Amino acid sequence: MAQIAAQLQSLVDDPREALGIEVKRWLDLTVKADQAVLAKAAIALANHGGGFIVLGYEELTDGAFECHLPRPTNLDAYSQDVIARIVATYAEPAFQVQVSRVVRQADGATHPVIQVPGGHRTPVMAKKGSPDQKTLISGRVYIRRPTPESAEPGSAVEWRDLLDRCVRAGRDDLLDAIRGVLDGRGERSPPAEPTNLERLQAWVEAGMARWKALAPPAKDGEPGDPPGIYTVAYQIEGNDLPSRAPSEMLNLLRDVPGYTGWRPWWVPSRDGIRPYQFDGVIECYHGLDGNKRIVDPAHADFWRVNTQGQLLLIRGFDEDSGSERAAPGTAFDLTLPVWRIGECLMHAATLAPRLTGESRPITFSASWSGLRDRELIHLERRYVLHASHIARQDSFTAALTVDSNQISDSLPEILHSLLHPLYQLFDFFELPKTLIDKEVQRMRS
């Protein structure tokens, strides 16, 4: 995962075209002609063996690329669902793409990068054409060719290379399926296994739905949803995790040490907020006092844990909990994310070996929402910010995979890689590595 993140960053910082990389301007994905342009690139890369589509750049006469202007005001039109729907509409057989949003280090602009999988057992063809029936033609197969460009195979060698890739990806009995595609009969490939990050994202989405279902609707005069939340999730990888009863998992959680007064995945014992089971998952919700919402967002946690090594925490911002320095929804603290995410990473580093008896890879994700129009400040006033830094983007997600035995020794470096792009949203604020070093030392002491 760390290698993929570095590769995505390189694609945005230094865009270039190659057989496995296609760079496009900002496409209007509400227009069928631009949908077809995107679909053609995805089909060609899928048949090439996989690759990346980078959006938001235009090519100069010397072959270099610069940012295509104007930039969209937001990237909702380039979401995972929108692009997946376009690929499913135009490609046969359909395949799953992964959309990432990567912040360009030079100017802080965010660009979508579409990762197209390879390894298909049959050639992928267009099942629907473009409006002009020139850019993309129904029933045609497209590949990547030197120049580079996306085009139909133009020689027997190119067809043989394409078929060889398909044969290598499958078994001998798939030759009939390949012939079926070529003569128009076609056959859908079985759905690909979800990636570790996709499994974690599904876990997060299920937890968000549960959190929203538990909170009662706000009554007149009562506060509603918190103005901002952050979620932290991680999963311990491996298909051979020891079988644990929910009660055993709960005891393991109780024994994980904390570094702050309000540690993540805290296991309370008081009636009304202690953990319970729901559909085989351990849940804990601190957001109610009787049947009323807790108005302090930073202490209204909701968390879930299952026996397959997946954990989720949803919590409001400390900055929205009645600080004298900032009204709710207006501030984002300079050091709190270092402490909060650092403590969650250390939780994973502790729980994984206790659950499995050994070091394991950890897929880790953190998301923030409600960022727009917040100003970067420091509530404790140990650091002075000499200029105003405001966020214009409302949400941000960072993810990585790391071995549990590397977290403790590399915690400042891991935190910097996760948090630096988040802080860049605040008028390109550069998060000093020395600040993280100092705050991690304070947290551990």
Side-chain angles (χ1 to χ4, degrees), residues 226-241:
I229 62 168
Y230 66 96
T231 66
V232 180
Y234 71 83
Q235 66 190 11
I236 303 167
E237 300 298 350
N239 297 322
D240 56 344
L241 266 63

Side-chain angles (χ1 to χ4, degrees), residues 163-382:
L163 296 179
D164 284 346
R165 281 193 292 270
C166 293
V167 171
R168 288 195 300 268
R171 302 181 183 218
D172 291 342
D173 61 356
L174 293 179
L175 287 171
D176 288 340
I178 293 171
R179 297 189 186 98
V181 170
L182 296 180
D183 66 20
R185 288 182 285 111
E187 179 180 305
R188 287 188 176 273
S189 298
E193 287 293 320
T195 66
N196 291 338
L197 188 57
E198 288 170 342
R199 290 196 304 112
L200 184 61
Q201 185 58 37
W203 166 249
V204 171
E205 290 173 358
M208 291 292 292
R210 279 291 297 150
W211 174 65
K212 292 176 181 178
L214 287 171
K219 300 176 183 178
D220 292 342
E222 290 185 348
D225 291 334
I229 62 168
Y230 66 96
T231 66
V232 180
Y234 71 83
Q235 66 190 11
I236 303 167
E237 300 298 350
N239 297 322
D240 56 344
L241 266 63
S243 177
R244 300 278 188 175
S247 58
E248 291 182 277
M249 183 66 77
L250 203 57
N251 287 331
L252 287 172
L253 292 174
R254 288 191 180 99
D255 291 338
V256 176
Y259 293 84
T260 64
W262 191 256
R263 64 184 184 180
W265 295 283
W266 170 54
V267 181
S269 57
R270 180 165 65 85
D271 288 345
I273 62 170
R274 63 187 178 190
Y276 55 89
Q277 281 198 72
F278 183 88
D279 284 346
V281 175
I282 304 169
E283 290 186 348
C284 191
Y285 184 42
H286 303 165
L288 293 179
D289 183 4
N291 63 351
K292 295 182 179 180
R293 290 180 184 234
I294 299 294
V295 297
D296 179 2
H299 297 91
D301 289 9
F302 173 66
W303 59 254
R304 304 180 94 216
V305 176
N306 64 25
T307 55
Q308 290 77 52
Q310 293 180 308
L311 293 85
L312 169 68
L313 171 68
I314 302 174
R315 181 182 287 181
F317 291 169
D318 294 67
E319 300 90 321
D320 298 335
S321 293
S323 167
E324 295 179 357
R325 290 203 59 199
T330 65
F332 190 81
D333 188 76
L334 180 65
T335 60
L336 278 171
V338 177
W339 286 64
R340 299 299 182 233
I341 305 305
E343 189 170 23
C344 290
L345 282 162
M346 289 303 299
H347 192 283
T350 303
L351 183 63
R354 292 186 180 183
L355 178 64
T356 66
E358 60 184 4
S359 174
R360 287 294 181 100
I362 303 292
T363 303
F364 187 93
S365 173
S367 299
W368 293 261
S369 62
L371 297 173
R372 185 183 295 121
D373 296 330
R374 289 181 184 262
E375 181 178 3
L376 194 62
I377 68 170
H378 190 230
L379 295 174
E380 295 183 358
R381 306 189 186 192
R382 289 184 288 107

Side-chain angles (χ1 to χ4, degrees), residues 4 24 32 58 77 83 98 123 161 185 239 258 271 307 310 339 351 389 394-395 418:
I4 289 294
K24 294 292 185 186
K32 292 187 183 301
E58 57 184 354
I83 292 175
Q98 179 69 41
D161 289 343
R185 288 182 285 111
N239 297 322
D271 288 345
T307 55
Q310 293 180 308
W339 286 64
L351 183 63
H389 299 273
D394 196 61
S395 61
L418 281 169

Side-chain angles (χ1 to χ4, degrees), residues 88-153:
T89 299
Y90 285 89
E92 174 67 36
F95 51 89
Q96 182 64 46
V97 297
Q98 179 69 41
V99 181
S100 302
R101 295 181 180 184
V102 185
V103 177
R104 180 178 166 91
Q105 293 181 348
D107 56 10
T110 302
H111 291 263
V113 180
I114 305 165
Q115 185 173 353
V116 179
H120 302 281
R121 300 188 307 168
T122 61
V124 181
M125 66 169 56
K127 71 176 179 181
K128 181 178 180 180
S130 58
D132 63 3
Q133 284 299 306
K134 294 180 180 178
T135 303
L136 189 69
I137 301 175
S138 177
R140 302 289 179 87
V141 172
Y142 297 88
I143 62 170
R144 293 291 284 167
R145 301 176 67 187
T147 311
E149 63 173 341
S150 297
E152 294 182 66

